[in-house]
Amino acid sequence: MRTLKTVFGQNIKPNLNRDMKVECIRTSLDNPPLDSINHNLDEYLTIGDSFLVYGIRFAESGRYVYIYDGNHLIEAPISLFKIIHDLTPKWKIKIWENMEITFWPELFYESDFLENFAERESEERQLFSDLQLEIEERFD
């Protein structure tokens, strides 16, 4: 029998070849660090909603997950969520010059991908749609 693992301080069930999935448990942080980003997502998140995770970033300002709300790829503090399914083995880890660590699908490391996606460029939207479909199929 498999035992529970701890990721980000949370006990979780073994992956069983699924991607990471989180459930929103709060929509904002109380007393966030001054350099944290997106610490109030009241307009974007609803408690109880679940999201596939498209990346993780470890920064001095905090730990973040990348979720998709149907319109935006949102970088949100991990502490707004509980982990339903743990990490995927298909992502790449990179340590940046500023010592931040990212754990993303390879697509996110392509030049200007995240910026172009945010600007709703059609090529990046299609590439993301393909990635989203691939990840969602693993949950069926």
Side-chain angles (χ1 to χ4, degrees):
M1 180 176 194
R2 291 183 176 239
T3 59
L4 293 179
K5 296 189 274 181
T6 301
V7 174
F8 303 114
Q10 298 180 35
N11 287 329
I12 53 175
K13 296 177 183 176
N15 186 312
L16 303 177
N17 297 319
R18 291 188 172 178
D19 289 283
M20 187 174 182
K21 195 171 191 179
V22 294
E23 181 181 319
C24 181
I25 57 172
R26 64 182 65 86
T27 59
S28 63
L29 298 177
D30 297 327
N31 303 315
L34 293 176
D35 57 353
S36 71
I37 61 168
N38 294 339
H39 56 269
N40 185 336
L41 293 170
D42 292 339
E43 295 180 29
Y44 298 94
L45 300 176
T46 302
I47 293 173
D49 284 355
S50 61
F51 299 91
L52 292 172
V53 173
Y54 292 93
I56 299 173
R57 183 171 72 95
F58 302 88
E60 194 172 316
S61 62
R63 282 61 178 151
Y64 301 92
V65 291
Y66 288 72
I67 60 171
Y68 183 62
D69 72 351
N71 290 309
H72 303 92
L73 194 56
I74 301 170
E75 184 177 28
I78 187 68
S79 55
L80 298 180
F81 304 91
K82 72 177 181 180
I83 298 170
I84 299 171
H85 297 288
D86 64 353
L87 305 174
T88 177
K90 294 188 176 205
W91 294 348
K92 306 274 185 213
I93 294 175
K94 180 175 180 177
I95 301 174
W96 298 82
E97 288 180 18
N98 64 1
M99 299 310 294
E100 288 185 356
I101 300 170
T102 53
F103 191 51
W104 290 340
E106 196 166 334
L107 175 65
F108 286 16
Y109 291 109
E110 291 182 10
S111 180
D112 299 321
F113 174 81
L114 291 173
E115 182 178 335
N116 290 342
F117 181 85
E119 295 294 326
R120 298 183 176 273
E121 296 290 332
S122 60
E123 181 179 349
E124 283 75 12
R125 288 286 166 154
Q126 182 58 52
L127 290 168
F128 181 81
S129 181
D130 294 344
L131 173 67
Q132 185 179 27
L133 182 62
E134 176 186 326
I135 291 173
E136 287 174 350
E137 284 177 348
R138 287 194 287 262
F139 275 93
D140 289 342

